[in-house]
């Protein structure tokens, strides 16, 4: 499928959805499409910015909502989610 066909099928909505999934790669693609004249520059910028912002907000709110659920606590209890031990400040160890 040609790039022109994808742009004509999905256009700015494809950039909007892709920015949330892949981020910078889709932003670069939007710049290339705007440079080639396949999309308006400001349409591409707004679609990528809105898609990225909306995805960030959704993941933030999901993390805030589910932070105390049992499956998140179980993940945090494992070695990858364990808190590191307190590291003493370096000023106590350095003697000048």
């Amino acid at each position: 499928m040609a790039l022109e066909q994808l742009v004509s099928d999905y256009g700015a909505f494809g950039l909007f959805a892709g920015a949330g999934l892949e981020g910078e790669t889709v932003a670069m693609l939007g710049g290339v499409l705007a440079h080639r004249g396949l999309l308006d520059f400001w349409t591409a910028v707004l679609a990528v910015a809105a898609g990225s912002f909306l995805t960030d907000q959704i993941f933030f709110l999901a993390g805030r909502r589910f932070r105390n659920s049992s499956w998140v606590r179980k993940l945090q209890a494992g070695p990858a989610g364990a808190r590191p031990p307190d590291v003493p400040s370096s000023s106590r160890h350095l003697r000048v």
Side-chain angles (χ1 to χ4, degrees), residues 22-23 31 40 44 54 56 58 61 72 76 83:
E22 187 53 40
D40 178 55
L54 184 65
D56 278 348
I58 288 171
L61 292 173
V72 171
Q76 288 175 337
R83 296 197 184 271

Side-chain angles (χ1 to χ4, degrees), residues 6-75:
L6 287 172
V7 172
S8 68
D9 288 348
Y10 300 107
F13 178 74
L15 289 177
F16 176 82
L21 298 174
E22 187 53 40
E24 289 82 14
T25 304
V26 174
M28 291 294 293
L29 176 64
V32 169
L33 294 176
H35 177 72
R36 291 184 64 191
L38 298 172
L39 278 178
D40 178 55
F41 173 74
W42 290 110
T43 302
V45 168
L46 291 175
V48 169
S52 180
F53 178 77
L54 184 65
T55 303
D56 278 348
Q57 295 304 309
I58 288 171
F59 282 124
F60 172 79
L61 292 173
R64 177 176 260 193
R65 167 69 175 93
F66 296 111
R67 67 179 169 209
N68 292 325
S69 65
S70 62
W71 57 275
V72 171
R73 278 184 273 148
K74 187 168 72 171
L75 286 173

